[in-house]
Amino acid sequence: QVQLVESGGGLVQSGGSLRLSCEVSGGSLDRHDIGWFRQAPGKEYREGVSWIRSSSSRTDYAEPVLGRFTTSTDNAKNTVYLQMDDLKPDDTAIYYCAARRYRPYYDVFNGEEYDFWGQGTQVTVSS
């Protein structure tokens, strides 16, 4: 059973930066894609933010965060990061990391395609 634990959330002013971490246990980053998702206040769905496959260093980003967010991995620590720069109030949400076993590239921002989820970490951006 793969377990994921997020950390690094907090309160930051608009234009600031945060780095989220997702520590993965019970599974290898060599066999699992990792996605970051977020759920904004009052929204019922989780929006896909980024995706990474560590074996190829391939990444993908949702349009709202393109150019501002960067995801990366440290395989030695079995940890995935989400560097968030130039944060905006609209980025306020609970951020989750999720894992899915390697499969062909499709629906990387669809939460239903992921098998394991962390508990989430709150990010609040003040204006």
Side-chain angles (χ1 to χ4, degrees):
Q1 182 81 357
V2 178
Q3 295 183 321
L4 304 100
V5 178
E6 303 95 337
S7 62
L11 173 64
V12 64
Q13 289 187 333
S14 182
S17 298
L18 281 175
R19 188 178 79 158
L20 305 183
S21 300
C22 173
E23 186 172 349
V24 181
S25 60
S28 171
L29 292 179
D30 290 334
R31 292 189 294 274
H32 292 83
D33 295 333
I34 302 296
W36 283 95
F37 292 79
R38 64 186 182 185
Q39 187 167 4
K43 297 290 181 64
E44 294 184 357
Y45 63 88
R46 294 180 182 180
E47 174 191 25
V49 173
S50 68
W51 167 88
I52 187 167
R53 177 168 292 183
S54 66
S55 62
S56 63
S57 298
R58 184 176 176 184
T59 58
D60 201 359
Y61 299 92
E63 192 278 334
V65 307
L66 194 61
R68 301 187 296 121
F69 290 12
T70 305
T71 187
S72 61
T73 66
D74 184 335
N75 285 23
K77 296 181 178 179
N78 232 33
T79 299
V80 180
Y81 302 100
L82 183 67
Q83 176 67 39
M84 306 186 295
D85 298 317
D86 190 23
L87 283 161
K88 306 176 188 301
D90 283 349
D91 295 319
T92 294
I94 300 174
Y95 282 72
Y96 300 87
C97 60
R100 70 180 201 180
R101 298 177 185 88
Y102 276 4
R103 66 195 66 178
Y105 175 85
Y106 68 93
D107 279 353
V108 297
F109 297 135
N110 181 353
E112 294 183 357
E113 294 295 327
Y114 287 77
D115 307 305
F116 308 100
W117 291 81
Q119 82 290 347
T121 185
Q122 176 71 48
V123 171
T124 303
V125 184
S126 63
S127 57

